[in-house]
Amino acid sequence: MNWEKKKKPLLATTSIIVAVTVIAGCSSGTDGSKATDTPKTTSGATTAAKEKPFPISIMLKSYYNDTATPESKVWKKVEEHTNTKLDFQFVPDASYNDKLNITLASGSIPSLLFVNNAKLPAVANAIKGGAFWEIGPYLKDYPNLKQANPTVLNNTSVNGKFYGLYVSRPIGRMGISYRKDWLDNLGMKEPKTIDEFYAMLKAFATNDPDKNGKNDTYGMVVTRYTGPFDIMQTWFGAPNKWAEKDGKLIPAHLTPEYMEALKFFKKLYNEKLINQDFAVYDSAKWNDPIINGQAGVAVDVTERSYQIEEKMKQVNPKGSIDIIGAVSGPTGLHNQPTAGHNGMFLISKSSVKNRS
């Protein structure tokens, strides 16, 4: 197979697959960085339609049991639009990493392989060993792909080169989801600072925010997942994983700001403003205490607010959720960024060969 000849339909199809990852039962937010495209001209469309459909096999994650079949309207539409024959290999999310490692070790890699992070040792080693095509030189040929966010591209790169089309995710994704009806009941305003955030949690735990006359609420639900603390430490000015100081890299946990955040978190625990079993609390049940009227706050991705409100309306139509990006700390307003992507698709050299 001629890689130079097939790169346009393959990249176009890959980018469409990125756009319709709902086929696998998973959707991702976007930040306006368009990592999807079709060829910049349609001159080859008529020719492609006359050719035999180009076979493409894709291995990707499945988040639900009812994955799509070749009879799916979306599946058929992608095949029709790109003149391809698709072979999706859906792998459950829980076992995906195991399947990924086995696939990489076997050397029998599908045309397109989804990976969460190209910098994972097994993936980076496979790239170094020549298992995947570098696609960076071809991005300029597509009007939307060439506008991909440079920061996100850099986050997906390996040794400064680009091997995958990323699934876009907002860089500014973290936030505070809180019970707005509780805050209104207490006559309080949306918190702007860490101190005001603490005051909200304290009031949610001690001032009967649901007005039921019982002492049955607390401030914030936290799970064994470390995400909430990772986010909150940035409010205090702690770096996102690493900081550069005097030409040296310093890990976040060795900074004074991290220690201040840790003291604050301990204060929340000591005063029982968070659930006391957070260290073992299952993240799959994260939304339940807020939906059930026990807790008033969750610090995580902003879309959690939507998930909570949709379920809460079923049991409490008067309940309402609002969100804040972050609250100001000693050094100003900071929030934890994401890498700007939710994985990427790599193109296999073993399945997509160049001219030999």
Side-chain angles (χ1 to χ4, degrees):
M1 183 181 298
N2 186 339
W3 162 244
E4 290 297 327
K5 180 179 178 182
K6 292 296 184 180
K7 69 180 177 69
K8 277 188 177 291
L10 182 59
L11 282 172
T13 304
T14 306
S15 60
I16 291 172
I17 290 168
V18 172
V20 295
T21 49
V22 288
I23 289 177
C26 176
S27 61
S28 300
T30 62
D31 63 350
S33 303
K34 298 180 179 179
T36 59
D37 213 340
T38 54
K40 62 182 178 182
T41 66
T42 57
S43 59
T46 303
T47 302
K50 296 178 181 178
E51 297 177 352
K52 185 178 179 181
F54 179 43
I56 302 179
S57 55
I58 308 105
M59 183 176 125
L60 69 168
K61 286 186 178 184
S62 170
Y63 295 86
Y64 301 101
N65 293 327
D66 55 342
T67 53
T69 69
E71 300 306 311
S72 162
K73 291 182 180 179
V74 176
W75 190 314
K76 288 183 175 180
K77 203 66 178 179
V78 172
E79 288 185 326
E80 176 187 339
H81 185 74
T82 59
N83 193 38
T84 55
K85 182 64 177 177
L86 301 178
D87 174 20
F88 284 101
Q89 301 171 25
F90 293 113
V91 180
D93 177 50
S95 58
Y96 193 82
N97 284 341
D98 291 337
K99 177 65 175 178
L100 175 64
N101 290 332
I102 292 172
T103 301
L104 291 173
S106 71
S108 179
I109 304 173
S111 308
L112 303 175
L113 182 69
F114 176 82
V115 300
N116 280 111
N117 187 348
K119 294 180 175 65
L120 292 173
V123 179
N125 287 337
I127 290 174
K128 184 179 179 180
F132 300 102
W133 289 104
E134 179 192 356
I135 65 170
Y138 305 109
L139 297 180
K140 67 181 185 301
D141 297 334
Y142 298 81
N144 288 328
L145 288 180
K146 69 181 181 182
Q147 298 179 52
N149 188 310
T151 299
V152 180
L153 278 178
N154 182 63
N155 290 338
T156 67
S157 67
V158 177
N159 296 324
K161 296 181 178 181
F162 310 125
Y163 293 86
L165 290 180
Y166 66 81
V167 180
S168 184
R169 169 174 279 179
I171 293 178
R173 190 179 179 225
M174 307 307 180
I176 304 165
S177 301
Y178 69 95
R179 286 287 299 264
K180 186 179 185 303
D181 57 319
W182 283 14
L183 204 66
D184 291 343
N185 286 343
L186 297 170
M188 299 177 69
K189 295 181 179 179
E190 180 182 280
K192 303 294 184 182
T193 66
I194 292 175
D195 288 343
E196 291 175 358
F197 175 76
Y198 165 78
M200 178 175 71
L201 297 187
K202 188 77 171 180
F204 281 0
T206 61
N207 292 353
D208 190 22
D210 56 1
K211 301 302 180 183
N212 68 352
K214 300 178 182 179
N215 183 21
D216 58 356
T217 59
Y218 61 94
M220 177 171 64
V221 57
V222 183
T223 75
R224 61 189 180 189
Y225 166 59
T226 63
F229 179 71
D230 293 341
I231 297 168
M232 291 166 63
Q233 65 178 290
T234 64
W235 302 347
F236 289 82
N240 183 25
K241 309 299 183 184
W242 294 85
E244 183 180 356
K245 186 176 181 180
D246 300 327
K248 296 181 179 179
L249 286 177
I250 302 173
H253 67 272
L254 294 183
T255 63
E257 294 83 1
Y258 180 92
M259 184 55 65
E260 289 304 309
L262 199 59
K263 290 177 181 178
F264 178 74
F265 194 79
K266 186 175 186 297
K267 179 181 179 180
L268 300 183
Y269 177 80
N270 289 344
E271 297 183 13
K272 298 184 178 180
L273 305 187
I274 64 174
N275 50 306
Q276 301 295 281
D277 62 345
F278 79 91
V280 295
Y281 192 78
D282 188 354
S283 57
K285 301 177 181 179
W286 199 335
N287 298 342
D288 293 354
I290 302 180
I291 294 170
N292 298 331
Q294 298 169 287
V297 174
V299 175
D300 189 38
V301 294
T302 53
E303 56 262 39
R304 185 166 295 282
S305 62
Y306 171 79
Q307 298 169 4
I308 294 171
E309 189 161 56
E310 284 293 294
K311 292 290 182 67
M312 188 174 65
K313 289 294 186 182
Q314 299 174 18
V315 297
N316 180 13
K318 295 183 179 180
S320 63
I321 297 291
D322 209 342
I323 56 174
I324 317 165
V327 290
S328 294
T331 60
L333 184 63
H334 306 285
N335 203 355
Q336 185 189 47
T338 74
H341 68 87
N342 186 31
M344 67 207 75
F345 287 90
L346 307 181
I347 301 175
S348 163
K349 282 188 177 180
S350 64
S351 296
V352 183
K353 301 184 182 299
N354 64 352
R355 187 186 301 275
S356 57

